[in-house]
Amino acid sequence: MRDSGPKQGIHKVLAGMPPLAGLPGGPPPRLIMLAAEISKLCHDRMRRESERIGVKSGYRHLLMHIARIDGITQQELVRITHLKAPTISVTLQNMEQDGLITRQPDGQDARQMHVHLTEEGRRLDMLLRDVHDRVEDIFMQGIGEEEGRQALEVLLRMRNNILIESGVLGREAD
């Protein structure tokens, strides 16, 4: 059983904060609701910026992972993106038709397909990295380097807590 101390502590902190934007006099924010709002704002901004440079919204997430792990398998993409296998498969088919990736069967296991970026995929990845930098700069305005580092550590622990609770990560990630 978990200690309820930290939960009560965060609620006391949040109770002293101003209400969410656009809700004067409303209740203080709940951490989970604020995280959801920030996620939505980030997703919407990234979608708009990505579409502006010609990257389809559904490609952005996969493109980022494929660029960072050359030769990643479809199964690995399912695991690290938390997307369903059919979604990954259809999106990769579309990305291949658009000339952004190639898929090559594994030499040892023909059921495994390794995904690689084409030159066009690499070009779009470089543009996306610039978009990520610009959007992150907007989100980090007025936040110092140490605060940003601490926020990243806390967010990673929160994400790991959810993944551990759902069985995606083992307890050793704690």
mmCIF file of all heavy atoms in Angstrom, residues 14-45:
data_model
loop_
_atom_site.group_PDB
_atom_site.id
_atom_site.type_symbol
_atom_site.label_atom_id
_atom_site.label_comp_id
_atom_site.label_asym_id
_atom_site.label_seq_id
_atom_site.Cartn_x
_atom_site.Cartn_y
_atom_site.Cartn_z
ATOM 1 N N LEU A 14 -0.999 22.345 -5.206
ATOM 2 C CA LEU A 14 -1.883 22.740 -6.300
ATOM 3 C C LEU A 14 -3.026 23.626 -5.820
ATOM 4 O O LEU A 14 -3.469 24.515 -6.536
ATOM 5 C CB LEU A 14 -2.434 21.499 -7.017
ATOM 6 C CG LEU A 14 -1.396 20.670 -7.781
ATOM 7 C CD1 LEU A 14 -2.033 19.402 -8.323
ATOM 8 C CD2 LEU A 14 -0.753 21.476 -8.891
ATOM 9 N N ALA A 15 -3.492 23.406 -4.596
ATOM 10 C CA ALA A 15 -4.585 24.226 -4.060
ATOM 11 C C ALA A 15 -4.164 25.685 -3.931
ATOM 12 O O ALA A 15 -4.990 26.586 -4.033
ATOM 13 C CB ALA A 15 -5.042 23.684 -2.714
ATOM 14 N N GLY A 16 -2.872 25.928 -3.744
ATOM 15 C CA GLY A 16 -2.384 27.291 -3.620
ATOM 16 C C GLY A 16 -2.074 27.958 -4.945
ATOM 17 O O GLY A 16 -1.691 29.121 -4.997
ATOM 18 N N MET A 17 -2.246 27.229 -6.041
ATOM 19 C CA MET A 17 -1.918 27.772 -7.363
ATOM 20 C C MET A 17 -3.138 28.447 -7.977
ATOM 21 O O MET A 17 -4.282 28.159 -7.612
ATOM 22 C CB MET A 17 -1.443 26.647 -8.287
ATOM 23 C CG MET A 17 -0.151 26.000 -7.825
ATOM 24 S SD MET A 17 0.385 24.714 -8.951
ATOM 25 C CE MET A 17 1.074 25.721 -10.249
ATOM 26 N N PRO A 18 -2.891 29.330 -8.935
ATOM 27 C CA PRO A 18 -4.019 29.959 -9.623
ATOM 28 C C PRO A 18 -4.788 28.936 -10.452
ATOM 29 O O PRO A 18 -4.244 27.883 -10.793
ATOM 30 C CB PRO A 18 -3.346 30.999 -10.521
ATOM 31 C CG PRO A 18 -1.947 30.550 -10.675
ATOM 32 C CD PRO A 18 -1.600 29.772 -9.435
ATOM 33 N N PRO A 19 -6.033 29.255 -10.780
ATOM 34 C CA PRO A 19 -6.826 28.315 -11.591
ATOM 35 C C PRO A 19 -6.247 28.204 -12.992
ATOM 36 O O PRO A 19 -5.408 28.999 -13.394
ATOM 37 C CB PRO A 19 -8.217 28.952 -11.604
ATOM 38 C CG PRO A 19 -7.999 30.375 -11.256
ATOM 39 C CD PRO A 19 -6.762 30.451 -10.415
ATOM 40 N N LEU A 20 -6.714 27.212 -13.737
ATOM 41 C CA LEU A 20 -6.284 27.032 -15.111
ATOM 42 C C LEU A 20 -6.632 28.257 -15.933
ATOM 43 O O LEU A 20 -7.601 28.966 -15.649
ATOM 44 C CB LEU A 20 -6.944 25.794 -15.723
ATOM 45 C CG LEU A 20 -6.548 24.455 -15.112
ATOM 46 C CD1 LEU A 20 -7.389 23.341 -15.707
ATOM 47 C CD2 LEU A 20 -5.076 24.179 -15.332
ATOM 48 N N ALA A 21 -5.850 28.484 -16.969
ATOM 49 C CA ALA A 21 -6.072 29.636 -17.842
ATOM 50 C C ALA A 21 -7.506 29.636 -18.356
ATOM 51 O O ALA A 21 -8.038 28.604 -18.740
ATOM 52 C CB ALA A 21 -5.095 29.583 -19.014
ATOM 53 N N GLY A 22 -8.109 30.788 -18.349
ATOM 54 C CA GLY A 22 -9.467 30.927 -18.861
ATOM 55 C C GLY A 22 -10.540 30.529 -17.876
ATOM 56 O O GLY A 22 -11.716 30.564 -18.199
ATOM 57 N N LEU A 23 -10.165 30.137 -16.677
ATOM 58 C CA LEU A 23 -11.145 29.724 -15.685
ATOM 59 C C LEU A 23 -10.966 30.526 -14.397
ATOM 60 O O LEU A 23 -10.671 29.978 -13.333
ATOM 61 C CB LEU A 23 -11.012 28.228 -15.380
ATOM 62 C CG LEU A 23 -11.214 27.269 -16.542
ATOM 63 C CD1 LEU A 23 -10.925 25.837 -16.108
ATOM 64 C CD2 LEU A 23 -12.620 27.372 -17.087
ATOM 65 N N PRO A 24 -11.136 31.844 -14.456
ATOM 66 C CA PRO A 24 -10.925 32.634 -13.239
ATOM 67 C C PRO A 24 -11.890 32.210 -12.143
ATOM 68 O O PRO A 24 -13.063 31.965 -12.388
ATOM 69 C CB PRO A 24 -11.198 34.068 -13.691
ATOM 70 C CG PRO A 24 -11.951 33.959 -14.967
ATOM 71 C CD PRO A 24 -11.607 32.625 -15.580
ATOM 72 N N GLY A 25 -11.350 32.077 -10.951
ATOM 73 C CA GLY A 25 -12.180 31.684 -9.818
ATOM 74 C C GLY A 25 -12.530 30.219 -9.794
ATOM 75 O O GLY A 25 -13.220 29.756 -8.902
ATOM 76 N N GLY A 26 -12.045 29.469 -10.781
ATOM 77 C CA GLY A 26 -12.335 28.040 -10.834
ATOM 78 C C GLY A 26 -11.450 27.277 -9.875
ATOM 79 O O GLY A 26 -10.636 27.854 -9.161
ATOM 80 N N PRO A 27 -11.605 25.973 -9.859
ATOM 81 C CA PRO A 27 -10.795 25.162 -8.943
ATOM 82 C C PRO A 27 -9.333 25.174 -9.387
ATOM 83 O O PRO A 27 -9.034 25.417 -10.555
ATOM 84 C CB PRO A 27 -11.401 23.762 -9.095
ATOM 85 C CG PRO A 27 -12.018 23.760 -10.450
ATOM 86 C CD PRO A 27 -12.484 25.174 -10.699
ATOM 87 N N PRO A 28 -8.422 24.907 -8.461
ATOM 88 C CA PRO A 28 -7.011 24.823 -8.840
ATOM 89 C C PRO A 28 -6.805 23.632 -9.767
ATOM 90 O O PRO A 28 -7.615 22.704 -9.782
ATOM 91 C CB PRO A 28 -6.295 24.628 -7.509
ATOM 92 C CG PRO A 28 -7.324 24.077 -6.593
ATOM 93 C CD PRO A 28 -8.646 24.625 -7.060
ATOM 94 N N PRO A 29 -5.732 23.651 -10.549
ATOM 95 C CA PRO A 29 -5.526 22.545 -11.494
ATOM 96 C C PRO A 29 -5.202 21.243 -10.779
ATOM 97 O O PRO A 29 -4.618 21.245 -9.707
ATOM 98 C CB PRO A 29 -4.312 23.012 -12.304
ATOM 99 C CG PRO A 29 -3.592 23.951 -11.402
ATOM 100 C CD PRO A 29 -4.658 24.620 -10.574
ATOM 101 N N ARG A 30 -5.623 20.160 -11.369
ATOM 102 C CA ARG A 30 -5.193 18.830 -10.932
ATOM 103 C C ARG A 30 -3.982 18.496 -11.781
ATOM 104 O O ARG A 30 -3.940 18.820 -12.970
ATOM 105 C CB ARG A 30 -6.288 17.790 -11.186
ATOM 106 C CG ARG A 30 -7.585 17.968 -10.422
ATOM 107 C CD ARG A 30 -7.516 17.445 -9.020
ATOM 108 N NE ARG A 30 -6.884 16.137 -8.936
ATOM 109 C CZ ARG A 30 -7.441 15.080 -8.408
ATOM 110 N NH1 ARG A 30 -8.637 15.136 -7.901
ATOM 111 N NH2 ARG A 30 -6.784 13.935 -8.357
ATOM 112 N N LEU A 31 -3.003 17.867 -11.206
ATOM 113 C CA LEU A 31 -1.771 17.542 -11.923
ATOM 114 C C LEU A 31 -2.066 16.765 -13.197
ATOM 115 O O LEU A 31 -1.531 17.067 -14.268
ATOM 116 C CB LEU A 31 -0.822 16.758 -11.009
ATOM 117 C CG LEU A 31 0.553 16.455 -11.581
ATOM 118 C CD1 LEU A 31 1.289 17.733 -11.942
ATOM 119 C CD2 LEU A 31 1.358 15.646 -10.587
ATOM 120 N N ILE A 32 -2.927 15.779 -13.106
ATOM 121 C CA ILE A 32 -3.237 14.935 -14.258
ATOM 122 C C ILE A 32 -3.916 15.748 -15.361
ATOM 123 O O ILE A 32 -3.654 15.553 -16.540
ATOM 124 C CB ILE A 32 -4.067 13.697 -13.847
ATOM 125 C CG1 ILE A 32 -4.101 12.661 -14.966
ATOM 126 C CG2 ILE A 32 -5.475 14.066 -13.437
ATOM 127 C CD1 ILE A 32 -2.814 11.904 -15.109
ATOM 128 N N MET A 33 -4.770 16.685 -14.976
ATOM 129 C CA MET A 33 -5.454 17.517 -15.971
ATOM 130 C C MET A 33 -4.480 18.492 -16.627
ATOM 131 O O MET A 33 -4.544 18.746 -17.829
ATOM 132 C CB MET A 33 -6.621 18.271 -15.333
ATOM 133 C CG MET A 33 -7.722 17.355 -14.818
ATOM 134 S SD MET A 33 -8.421 16.303 -16.110
ATOM 135 C CE MET A 33 -9.211 17.521 -17.134
ATOM 136 N N LEU A 34 -3.569 19.037 -15.846
ATOM 137 C CA LEU A 34 -2.570 19.948 -16.391
ATOM 138 C C LEU A 34 -1.643 19.205 -17.349
ATOM 139 O O LEU A 34 -1.319 19.709 -18.428
ATOM 140 C CB LEU A 34 -1.781 20.598 -15.259
ATOM 141 C CG LEU A 34 -0.820 21.705 -15.656
ATOM 142 C CD1 LEU A 34 -1.533 22.833 -16.395
ATOM 143 C CD2 LEU A 34 -0.118 22.249 -14.417
ATOM 144 N N ALA A 35 -1.243 17.998 -16.985
ATOM 145 C CA ALA A 35 -0.393 17.190 -17.867
ATOM 146 C C ALA A 35 -1.124 16.899 -19.179
ATOM 147 O O ALA A 35 -0.531 16.986 -20.265
ATOM 148 C CB ALA A 35 0.010 15.891 -17.183
ATOM 149 N N ALA A 36 -2.410 16.595 -19.105
ATOM 150 C CA ALA A 36 -3.202 16.326 -20.307
ATOM 151 C C ALA A 36 -3.320 17.580 -21.168
ATOM 152 O O ALA A 36 -3.220 17.508 -22.398
ATOM 153 C CB ALA A 36 -4.585 15.801 -19.927
ATOM 154 N N GLU A 37 -3.516 18.723 -20.531
ATOM 155 C CA GLU A 37 -3.631 19.972 -21.281
ATOM 156 C C GLU A 37 -2.312 20.307 -21.985
ATOM 157 O O GLU A 37 -2.303 20.673 -23.160
ATOM 158 C CB GLU A 37 -4.032 21.120 -20.353
ATOM 159 C CG GLU A 37 -4.180 22.443 -21.099
ATOM 160 C CD GLU A 37 -4.502 23.615 -20.184
ATOM 161 O OE1 GLU A 37 -4.402 23.503 -18.954
ATOM 162 O OE2 GLU A 37 -4.842 24.678 -20.745
ATOM 163 N N ILE A 38 -1.205 20.159 -21.270
ATOM 164 C CA ILE A 38 0.109 20.440 -21.872
ATOM 165 C C ILE A 38 0.362 19.481 -23.036
ATOM 166 O O ILE A 38 0.836 19.887 -24.100
ATOM 167 C CB ILE A 38 1.221 20.339 -20.808
ATOM 168 C CG1 ILE A 38 1.092 21.496 -19.821
ATOM 169 C CG2 ILE A 38 2.606 20.339 -21.465
ATOM 170 C CD1 ILE A 38 1.955 21.353 -18.576
ATOM 171 N N SER A 39 0.019 18.207 -22.853
ATOM 172 C CA SER A 39 0.187 17.224 -23.917
ATOM 173 C C SER A 39 -0.623 17.614 -25.154
ATOM 174 O O SER A 39 -0.126 17.560 -26.281
ATOM 175 C CB SER A 39 -0.237 15.846 -23.422
ATOM 176 O OG SER A 39 -0.155 14.904 -24.455
ATOM 177 N N LYS A 40 -1.853 18.017 -24.950
ATOM 178 C CA LYS A 40 -2.717 18.420 -26.068
ATOM 179 C C LYS A 40 -2.163 19.653 -26.767
ATOM 180 O O LYS A 40 -2.112 19.708 -28.007
ATOM 181 C CB LYS A 40 -4.130 18.687 -25.536
ATOM 182 C CG LYS A 40 -5.097 19.267 -26.549
ATOM 183 C CD LYS A 40 -5.714 18.201 -27.403
ATOM 184 C CE LYS A 40 -6.892 18.718 -28.202
ATOM 185 N NZ LYS A 40 -6.534 19.153 -29.538
ATOM 186 N N LEU A 41 -1.746 20.648 -25.993
ATOM 187 C CA LEU A 41 -1.185 21.864 -26.586
ATOM 188 C C LEU A 41 0.075 21.552 -27.393
ATOM 189 O O LEU A 41 0.257 22.068 -28.506
ATOM 190 C CB LEU A 41 -0.873 22.894 -25.497
ATOM 191 C CG LEU A 41 -2.080 23.512 -24.796
ATOM 192 C CD1 LEU A 41 -1.633 24.292 -23.564
ATOM 193 C CD2 LEU A 41 -2.864 24.393 -25.751
ATOM 194 N N CYS A 42 0.923 20.706 -26.854
ATOM 195 C CA CYS A 42 2.152 20.313 -27.541
ATOM 196 C C CYS A 42 1.826 19.540 -28.816
ATOM 197 O O CYS A 42 2.372 19.820 -29.879
ATOM 198 C CB CYS A 42 3.026 19.480 -26.614
ATOM 199 S SG CYS A 42 4.592 18.994 -27.346
ATOM 200 N N HIS A 43 0.928 18.573 -28.704
ATOM 201 C CA HIS A 43 0.543 17.769 -29.868
ATOM 202 C C HIS A 43 -0.019 18.656 -30.975
ATOM 203 O O HIS A 43 0.358 18.517 -32.144
ATOM 204 C CB HIS A 43 -0.488 16.713 -29.453
ATOM 205 C CG HIS A 43 -1.001 15.922 -30.601
ATOM 206 N ND1 HIS A 43 -0.301 14.872 -31.149
ATOM 207 C CD2 HIS A 43 -2.137 16.037 -31.328
ATOM 208 C CE1 HIS A 43 -0.987 14.381 -32.162
ATOM 209 N NE2 HIS A 43 -2.107 15.066 -32.285
ATOM 210 N N ASP A 44 -0.911 19.566 -30.617
ATOM 211 C CA ASP A 44 -1.520 20.444 -31.625
ATOM 212 C C ASP A 44 -0.477 21.332 -32.290
ATOM 213 O O ASP A 44 -0.492 21.520 -33.508
ATOM 214 C CB ASP A 44 -2.619 21.305 -30.996
ATOM 215 C CG ASP A 44 -3.850 20.503 -30.614
ATOM 216 O OD1 ASP A 44 -3.949 19.322 -30.997
ATOM 217 O OD2 ASP A 44 -4.712 21.063 -29.910
ATOM 218 N N ARG A 45 0.423 21.887 -31.482
ATOM 219 C CA ARG A 45 1.462 22.763 -32.049
ATOM 220 C C ARG A 45 2.390 21.974 -32.965
ATOM 221 O O ARG A 45 2.738 22.412 -34.066
ATOM 222 C CB ARG A 45 2.251 23.425 -30.911
ATOM 223 C CG ARG A 45 3.317 24.391 -31.367
ATOM 224 C CD ARG A 45 2.652 25.563 -32.125
ATOM 225 N NE ARG A 45 3.609 26.536 -32.526
ATOM 226 C CZ ARG A 45 3.776 27.724 -31.943
ATOM 227 N NH1 ARG A 45 3.022 28.058 -30.915
ATOM 228 N NH2 ARG A 45 4.671 28.556 -32.380
#
